[in-house]
Amino acid sequence: MNTELAVIKGDINSDANDRITDKASYLIKNGCLVAFPTETVYGLGADATNSESAKKIYAAKGRPSDNPLIIHISKASDAEKYAYTNELYYKLTDAFSPGPLTIILPKKDTVPCEVTGGLDTVAIRIPSNEIARAIIEKSGVAIAAPSANTSGRPSPTSADHVIEDLYGKVDMIIDGGDCEIGLESTVVKISDDEINLLRPGAVDVQMLSSVCANVKMSDAVLNKLENSEKAESPGMRYRHYAPDIPVYLVSGEEKNVEAFLKRRLHDDNTVGILCYDTSKDILFGENVKYLEHSHIKQANVLFGYLRDFNKSTAKSVYSVIPDTDGVGLAVLNRLIRAAGFNVINAERFTVIGLTGQSGSGKGAVCELFKKCGIPSVDTDAVYHELLENCFEMRQEIVDRFDDDIVENGKINRKILAKKVFTSNDRTQLECLNKITHKYILKKTKELLLQYEIDGFKCAIIDAPQLFESGFDAECDVTLAVISELEKQIQRIMLRDDLTEKQALERLSNQHTTDYFRKKCTYCIENNGTLEDLENTVECYAKIFKGE
Ligand code: TXA
Ligand code: MG
């Protein structure tokens, strides 16, 4: 379909703008689809009294046909043509119309059932945007207009968003600049003396309460409906407002949430973060977006941000949870749907960096922590797994250290180690580390996240090179395991089948025990029996778990 684009700027009554709104209303009267701005979001408009036009809306958006449309009129009394009004309707329209409020009333036969998704009620809204108003007035009919997005995607708050979703599927798109509010209207169902809030918006609960003492909030505003539950508003059933990538909301105290988000963030920009602008010094990067604490400002930017994430390199998004005062309820209602109700609790997840020399007993300490409910990520094992399975990392290593490290399509670790360790030149090792550490860190963070999602209160990063790798920056505390030299040598000889000389040589390449003592928050001295070690670990486990 050929889509006509038109821009409205300046005085709505100018000749040029008049011609555009004339054309738009002409198209609507003749059964066509026109996208236009409103103060909330862009709407996809068609004649609300024409069932064929309504069908076209559903087809263009890919919207389920049982999800009813809002009809837009220009003054409160026009509702009489389409619905059975009551006193409360006029009280509400006196207080908030024109503006971002939609009121559901019993419908009259003038509204075809295609528009109301088969329901015997109809949703009515009187927008304040002057472009919307001009088109409604010139059309002389109510205009059915859902948000002008592909069903399921974030609602459009600029003409570019509409073009992204609907270009070629509608007859005309009018660009009237960015929408003032950025979230869809408040939807209420009313009886003579009661308001039932179905979708929160810029007309908030406090404002509604100033008109009617009896304001109820539908369960579906913040909770997921079970399949068997009836939706008071069919739109609440569908996954909504969502980019194509998973979104997670992170609950908890602001500083815990910030620490959690910091742990998620990665230099390769595969993680998107939506946080408060007060975290700017701690959380930054290409896919970090900031919300102000003002709910109105949050509403302005939310949908644009969700669309931006979709176009970015982010493969998942983590977001703070706004509080629910005023318009905050509407912001959270959209965000929680974008997240498919996935909420992660960021309370008190402690990351422990565990390090120490070879043979100090780190492995045994990890096993004992595991018994106490503290799992670990073994960064050596992660490295070996990546060498096997991570094509990108392998390629980078081969590019740097030549093809002769490859045997039967795989990197031979021994040959690689020889190249890196036998030369006296540490730059080879540094070079290898520079490549591998970023992959290891990314994988480690993914594994930690899984532990967190699984409900653990803390987890260990087991890393001999905790500080050189920079993994310590991910940790809340660091813990060194320290042991007497003879015991270490015995353990290394036994475990790795080495001579005493070889074991000593290995240790001479590592940091001294003093270094670890100075660097780490805590030290475990592992010179006694296994039982002694078990007791020590149990004590630390209690501290870390906050018991
Ligand atoms: O701000 C807005 O309301 C925008 C602009 C364009 O006006 N429109 C909008 O429409 O958001 P839409 O279709 O995206 O959302 C309408 C919501 C849906 O959740 C729908 O289920 C609900 O209103 N709704 C419509 N008629 C209803 C009815 N008779 N009973 C219950 N819910 C209804
Ligand atoms: Mg919508």
Side-chain angles (χ1 to χ4, degrees):
M1 180 189 289
N2 189 20
T3 301
E4 183 176 339
L5 294 177
V7 181
I8 292 190
K9 271 198 208 132
D11 181 3
I12 184 71
N13 295 316
S14 73
D15 288 349
N17 290 342
D18 227 16
R19 278 195 293 278
I20 296 170
T21 49
D22 276 345
K23 177 76 187 282
S25 55
Y26 169 84
L27 287 170
I28 285 175
K29 277 187 284 189
N30 285 284
C32 298
L33 302 184
V34 178
F36 57 83
T38 82
E39 69 279 19
T40 56
V41 299
Y42 273 73
L44 175 59
D47 180 352
T49 60
N50 178 342
S51 57
E52 291 308 311
S53 304
K55 283 187 201 156
K56 285 189 195 168
I57 290 182
Y58 287 100
K61 278 181 60 90
R63 176 169 170 130
S65 63
D66 65 349
N67 192 2
L69 308 175
I70 295 174
I71 72 169
H72 297 68
I73 56 178
S74 63
K75 58 181 191 303
S77 59
D78 286 350
E80 300 297 342
K81 279 184 241 165
Y82 308 105
Y84 296 96
T85 61
N86 60 17
E87 207 181 313
L88 184 51
Y89 166 79
Y90 283 104
K91 275 193 191 164
L92 284 168
T93 51
D94 278 352
F96 307 118
S97 292
L101 177 67
T102 296
I103 302 170
I104 297 172
L105 293 166
K107 89 173 193 59
K108 289 187 175 167
D109 290 341
T110 41
V111 185
C113 58
E114 282 80 2
V115 169
T116 61
L119 297 178
D120 54 11
T121 50
V122 61
I124 292 179
R125 167 157 130 75
I126 306 162
S128 61
N129 178 288
E130 52 181 16
I131 301 173
R133 296 185 63 77
I135 298 171
I136 298 166
E137 276 161 15
K138 289 185 181 184
S139 303
V141 286
I143 296 183
S147 48
N149 52 296
T150 300
S151 193
R153 298 201 67 205
S155 294
T157 56
S158 74
D160 284 346
H161 297 162
V162 182
I163 292 169
E164 248 167 44
D165 282 14
L166 296 179
Y167 190 81
K169 294 180 178 170
V170 303
D171 299 280
M172 187 179 194
I173 297 174
I174 297 178
D175 181 348
D178 289 348
C179 298
E180 203 182 313
I181 296 173
L183 293 183
E184 308 85 341
S185 61
T186 304
V187 177
V188 293
K189 191 167 184 175
I190 61 169
S191 62
D192 289 341
D193 57 359
E194 189 183 75
I195 295 178
N196 187 5
L197 175 66
L198 303 187
R199 182 177 74 182
V203 174
D204 64 31
V205 174
Q206 289 86 331
M207 290 160 82
L208 294 170
S209 305
S210 71
V211 173
C212 169
N214 211 350
V215 180
K216 254 184 21 176
M217 185 167 95
S218 165
D219 274 352
V221 168
L222 291 180
N223 300 301
K224 190 175 183 172
L225 288 174
E226 296 305 326
N227 278 340
S228 56
E229 277 177 272
K230 183 172 161 278
E232 289 166 296
S233 177
M236 298 213 190
R237 190 166 285 303
Y238 302 105
R239 181 160 187 252
H240 242 123
Y241 316 119
D244 301 332
I245 50 177
V247 177
Y248 302 92
L249 303 193
V250 186
S251 69
E253 267 179 47
E254 217 166 301
K255 71 173 179 10
N256 289 338
V257 172
E258 194 177 66
F260 175 97
L261 295 175
K262 173 98 179 74
R263 288 197 294 276
R264 298 291 78 78
L265 201 58
H266 199 266
D267 319 340
D268 65 3
N269 299 317
T270 50
V271 173
I273 302 275
L274 194 53
C275 61
Y276 291 115
D277 56 358
T278 41
S279 300
K280 262 187 182 151
D281 291 343
I282 293 167
L283 300 167
F284 45 83
E286 199 177 296
N287 291 327
V288 178
K289 295 189 178 289
Y290 303 107
L291 294 173
E292 292 183 37
H293 278 82
S294 143
H295 296 310
I296 308 264
K297 296 262 173 64
Q298 292 169 0
N300 287 166
V301 295
L302 180 67
F303 285 148
Y305 280 177
L306 292 176
R307 278 181 184 257
D308 290 346
F309 281 130
N310 228 12
K311 286 180 269 178
S312 76
T313 48
K315 297 203 165 63
S316 56
V317 175
Y318 295 87
S319 171
V320 292
I321 301 184
D323 65 63
T324 55
D325 288 355
V327 183
L329 183 66
V331 176
L332 181 54
N333 168 273
R334 308 310 192 270
L335 251 181
I336 204 163
R337 282 179 165 68
F341 295 89
N342 277 322
V343 180
I344 301 172
N345 187 349
E347 293 305 342
R348 277 184 23 226
F349 185 78
T350 307
V351 178
I352 305 143
L354 185 79
T355 190
Q357 292 183 336
S358 299
S360 58
K362 283 196 295 359
V365 168
C366 281
E367 279 304 309
L368 293 170
F369 270 119
K370 193 172 164 193
K371 273 200 197 161
C372 303
I374 302 182
S376 55
V377 176
D378 175 347
T379 53
D380 280 344
V382 167
Y383 171 53
H384 297 156
E385 202 259 341
L386 290 171
L387 266 186
E388 287 281 313
N389 300 322
C390 175
F391 174 78
E392 279 170 294
M393 185 180 91
R394 272 202 325 235
Q395 200 53 45
E396 258 193 74
I397 296 174
V398 173
D399 286 349
R400 175 62 183 72
F401 292 93
D402 282 344
D403 289 352
D404 58 358
I405 57 168
V406 180
E407 234 181 41
N408 303 328
K410 286 186 175 170
I411 289 179
N412 183 314
R413 264 162 48 198
K414 285 205 173 126
I415 303 177
L416 178 61
K418 245 193 202 142
K419 281 202 170 193
V420 173
F421 287 109
T422 47
S423 63
N424 286 329
D425 176 12
R426 283 192 72 87
T427 56
Q428 297 297 317
L429 177 61
E430 277 161 19
C431 197
L432 177 67
N433 285 344
K434 205 167 164 229
I435 297 172
T436 58
H437 284 163
K438 61 178 188 280
Y439 290 98
I440 300 173
L441 182 59
K442 183 169 183 227
K443 184 73 191 170
T444 299
K445 283 181 159 193
E446 279 168 24
L447 295 168
L448 287 174
L449 174 63
Q450 196 50 54
Y451 287 139
E452 200 160 357
I453 291 171
D454 291 346
F456 288 100
K457 286 187 174 166
C458 32
I460 293 168
I461 301 181
D462 169 8
Q465 303 196 39
L466 187 67
F467 298 103
E468 300 87 318
S469 60
F471 296 177
D472 61 317
E474 306 301 318
C475 302
D476 300 288
V477 292
T478 52
L479 178 62
V481 185
I482 289 181
S483 182
E484 287 160 359
L485 187 63
E486 278 104 274
K487 293 215 165 78
Q488 278 177 261
I489 291 174
Q490 274 166 21
R491 288 194 199 106
I492 298 173
M493 287 168 63
L494 205 71
R495 188 185 65 195
D496 296 339
D497 197 18
L498 297 180
T499 63
E500 190 173 341
K501 190 164 165 271
Q502 287 167 321
L504 263 170
E505 195 181 307
R506 181 180 293 180
L507 286 173
S508 70
N509 278 320
Q510 300 181 359
H511 289 297
T512 62
T513 47
D514 263 357
Y515 170 90
F516 288 115
R517 264 189 241 278
K518 276 199 198 114
K519 280 283 222 187
C520 291
T521 334
Y522 304 103
C523 283
I524 290 184
E525 306 281 343
N526 178 22
N527 297 314
T529 62
L530 187 62
E531 207 183 330
D532 293 337
L533 188 62
E534 199 163 353
N535 290 335
T536 313
V537 167
E538 265 173 27
C539 291
Y540 278 109
K542 280 192 183 144
I543 297 174
F544 297 145
K545 290 201 282 188
E547 288 171 2

